[in-house]
Amino acid sequence: MTNQEVENFSTGISCIAWNHTFEQFCDICGFNPNHLYSQQKWEEFKELNKYLAKFDNELLTTIVRSGLKLPITYIPA
């Protein structure tokens, strides 16, 4: 993945987390909002967004590329 692809992924997660309601999240994911599972996934999704925001894109790109065994284009200082 390129830095731009990682940035787009993180931005997409953030946009859904900040701009959508639980019901809209359920609609996007095909979840039934009346099930406890859906509420659990919503909470986990918000946590995902919270923790992704703690990493800058360059570091995330380095981690993802390393996990995919791709050449690392950014070496953190």
Side-chain angles (χ1 to χ4, degrees):
M1 291 181 83
T2 66
N3 188 51
Q4 186 62 53
E5 290 169 324
V6 171
E7 183 176 348
N8 289 346
F9 173 81
S10 297
T11 299
I13 296 293
S14 178
C15 286
I16 297 296
W18 283 99
N19 299 320
H20 289 73
T21 65
F22 168 67
E23 290 76 16
Q24 290 169 321
F25 171 79
C26 288
D27 186 51
I28 289 167
C29 296
F31 295 155
N32 180 336
N34 297 317
H35 289 149
L36 182 59
Y37 175 83
S38 303
Q39 184 64 42
Q40 179 183 4
K41 290 301 162 194
W42 173 243
E43 295 301 324
E44 291 170 351
F45 179 76
K46 291 191 300 186
E47 288 290 310
L48 170 65
N49 181 56
K50 175 181 158 184
Y51 287 112
L52 274 177
K54 294 182 181 281
F55 293 88
D56 64 59
N57 280 340
E58 289 79 15
L59 182 54
L60 279 176
T61 300
T62 298
I63 293 167
V64 170
R65 291 184 67 80
S66 179
L68 295 173
K69 301 195 183 324
L70 298 171
I72 296 174
T73 57
Y74 170 77
I75 304 297

